[in-house]
Amino acid sequence: MLLTIDHVMFPVYLGDQLLDEVEWTWKDRGYGKVFREAERSEFLPLYCQSNQFYVEYLSNRSTFSYWSNAVFVVVPKQFWEYYKEPALLSEHFLIPYFGSGYQLVSPDFPHLNSKLSGGTDEGFRLLVSPDLYKVLSRVADQEWTLPDHIEPHSDLKHMHDMAVLDAEGRLVAPLYEANPALKGYF
């Protein structure tokens, strides 16, 4: 089965001004559909949509302080039972454990990237740690083929270490955050 990457989330804490800089950079580079939604109680969101997956940058609120980078993969709910004690389970999302680097999203989620219109094919690539790459190939104890636009990167060491690159090899996300492993992409 081919594993579908729906989106990649990069949260920052109380980083509303950082979102302004990221939005300006994405629009300046002409990435197509870059947009915000209204602030929610948990976060202020910024999105960059492509046909492959969208990038979600969030400015979290202090009342919801534990978030980490995550790849959201579309997995049929019949496989969710594999996770006996998930960290979070809702109608459309399952977090296997905090800091896992990935979350499951239901094929019924109304805001799946495949259901949204206006995405452009930017040629985004997702770099993840080798450990996360291995885990993603066995999500919910199933064998998955990973799409060509996801690659392991040996300098990324933690399950939540990831980066999105554009077709020119420039960093799309995370931007303006300290991560020496990504210095070659600035």
Side-chain angles (χ1 to χ4, degrees), residues 22 60 168 174:
V22 171
N60 294 352
E168 297 177 27

Side-chain angles (χ1 to χ4, degrees), residues 109-123:
F109 181 54
H111 304 290
L112 283 179
N113 193 53
S114 61
K115 295 178 183 178
L116 300 174
S117 62
T120 58
D121 189 5
E122 297 298 337

Side-chain angles (χ1 to χ4, degrees), residues 70-139:
V71 178
F72 287 74
V73 294
V74 181
V75 175
K77 283 191 170 181
Q78 68 196 40
F79 300 126
W80 290 23
E81 294 175 6
Y82 171 76
Y83 301 97
K84 302 297 181 210
E85 295 182 30
L88 178 132
L89 177 63
S90 68
E91 179 183 2
H92 295 296
F93 297 98
L94 182 147
I95 301 174
Y97 59 92
F98 288 116
S100 64
Y102 71 101
Q103 297 185 26
L104 309 188
V105 60
S106 166
D108 300 326
F109 181 54
H111 304 290
L112 283 179
N113 193 53
S114 61
K115 295 178 183 178
L116 300 174
S117 62
T120 58
D121 189 5
E122 297 298 337
F124 286 168
R125 288 185 303 140
L126 174 61
L127 304 179
V128 298
S129 70
D131 288 341
L132 180 56
Y133 189 84
K134 187 186 310 182
V135 167
L136 290 174
S137 70
R138 295 290 305 170
V139 167

Side-chain angles (χ1 to χ4, degrees), residues 38-102:
E39 182 175 352
R40 301 176 189 172
S41 61
E42 304 95 351
F43 58 87
L44 176 65
L46 171 67
Y47 303 98
C48 183
Q49 189 178 348
S50 78
N51 284 334
Q52 297 150 314
F53 55 86
Y54 66 88
V55 178
E56 178 180 38
Y57 233 107
L58 304 176
S59 175
N60 294 352
R61 302 300 168 235
S62 59
T63 53
F64 292 89
S65 61
Y66 186 87
W67 295 51
S68 65
N69 298 346
V71 178
F72 287 74
V73 294
V74 181
V75 175
K77 283 191 170 181
Q78 68 196 40
F79 300 126
W80 290 23
E81 294 175 6
Y82 171 76
Y83 301 97
K84 302 297 181 210
E85 295 182 30
L88 178 132
L89 177 63
S90 68
E91 179 183 2
H92 295 296
F93 297 98
L94 182 147
I95 301 174
Y97 59 92
F98 288 116
S100 64
Y102 71 101

